[in-house]
Amino acid sequence: DAGITQSPRHKVTETGTPVTLRCHQTENHRYMYWYRQDPGHGLRLIHYSYGVKDTDKGEVSDGYSVSRSKTEDFLLTLESATSSQTSVYFCAIRKTGTENTEAFFGQGTRLTVV
Amino acid sequence: SQQGEEDPQALSIQEGENATMNCSYKTSINNLQWYRQNSGRGLVHLILIRSNEREKHSGRLRVTLDTSKKSSSLLITASRAADTASYFCATDHNTDKLIFGTGTRLQVFP
């Protein structure tokens, strides 16, 4: 298995509270991604990173921010959680962005906002 | 949205039968990838087909790509109960993004 660890694996939080999810990799891959998975929508890209301190928005970035201060860590923050952000969040890594490479996924974080 | 769509949304077959699922996308791609997800788990890469390829095989998997129609299909031959999972296509565009489709849930009955 690719060395990707997501933490926490499960979290229940209250509306309006900040939440940070962590993705940690041991593969030294350049690209890291955050997706959310919801029934009927498949996986939707939230944000991604193409290097330390280099990030960009995905399809559903509103209400989320990210940071990557080290190659191995990519943090996803919900500044003020809402019920619509209840979802399963997946982190993925890729060796390169456009040179025909596959992505490796973490096991997911199930977030419930009550 | 660049998100692709897959059909059918759900597919139920008997062991031994073939399963075909389709993926359509909207903009030009570098490559198209197929992934599998077992219930409650992360996605696992199955196969990648480049934009200049038309067909690719890997074991019981056969993938085709028609860039003129912006579509791809995944064929699983001689399916097994262990193939029960959700299958997603993902398109790699001329950016760094990897965009996933909505997925097909495959159920294979023994």
Side-chain angles (χ1 to χ4, degrees):
Chain A
D1 288 346
I4 310 170
T5 304
Q6 291 186 232
S7 59
R9 293 292 312 279
H10 302 272
K11 186 170 181 67
V12 179
T13 192
E14 293 186 350
T15 298
T17 61
V19 177
T20 295
L21 309 183
R22 180 184 184 229
C23 178
H24 178 77
Q25 62 149 327
T26 58
E27 306 296 321
N28 201 36
H29 283 357
R30 178 182 175 191
Y31 288 83
M32 299 185 76
Y33 303 81
W34 277 108
Y35 293 89
R36 61 177 289 174
Q37 185 174 27
D38 305 287
H41 292 281
L43 276 81
R44 291 180 291 177
L45 181 63
I46 305 171
H47 282 282
Y48 67 101
S49 170
Y50 48 95
V52 174
K53 293 186 170 33
D54 292 323
T55 64
D56 203 352
K57 296 179 180 180
E59 305 164 282
V60 289
S61 58
D62 287 349
Y64 302 94
S65 63
V66 289
S67 66
R68 191 166 177 203
S69 58
K70 299 184 290 185
T71 298
E72 56 266 36
D73 288 326
F74 192 33
L75 304 180
L76 177 70
T77 297
L78 290 65
E79 301 290 346
S80 178
T82 68
S83 58
S84 64
Q85 293 175 313
T86 292
S87 187
V88 180
Y89 292 85
F90 285 98
C91 174
I93 63 175
R94 278 214 293 178
K95 193 171 185 179
T96 62
T98 59
E99 292 176 20
N100 299 311
T101 56
E102 66 194 88
F104 298 93
F105 279 79
Q107 291 302 301
T109 295
R110 184 172 296 276
L111 176 68
T112 303
V113 183
V114 298
Chain B
S1 168
Q2 290 180 299
Q3 188 174 35
E5 292 190 3
E6 295 174 63
D7 77 273
Q9 289 187 341
L11 179 61
S12 294
I13 58 175
Q14 296 292 132
E15 264 192 334
E17 295 181 338
N18 295 341
T20 299
M21 49 205 88
N22 305 294
C23 168
S24 61
Y25 58 93
K26 299 177 182 177
T27 58
S28 62
I29 60 172
N30 290 328
N31 65 68
L32 186 144
Q33 305 179 28
W34 285 90
Y35 289 77
R36 167 191 169 126
Q37 183 183 35
N38 285 47
S39 180
R41 306 293 298 273
L43 279 73
V44 175
H45 181 263
L46 293 175
I47 193 167
L48 179 153
I49 185 165
R50 302 182 183 194
S51 60
N52 61 353
E53 296 176 315
R54 292 297 167 259
E55 187 170 314
K56 200 162 184 180
H57 297 254
S58 177
R60 292 185 296 113
L61 305 180
R62 173 179 169 253
V63 170
T64 61
L65 178 65
D66 187 336
T67 53
S68 66
K69 295 182 179 178
K70 292 186 172 58
S71 67
S72 174
S73 66
L74 171 67
L75 168 68
I76 304 174
T77 60
S79 62
R80 306 165 181 168
D83 293 328
T84 294
S86 291
Y87 292 83
F88 295 87
C89 68
T91 47
D92 190 342
H93 301 264
N94 288 320
T95 64
D96 302 324
K97 301 177 183 179
L98 190 60
I99 303 297
F100 282 80
T102 50
T104 294
R105 292 188 311 279
L106 174 65
Q107 175 80 51
V108 182
F109 292 101

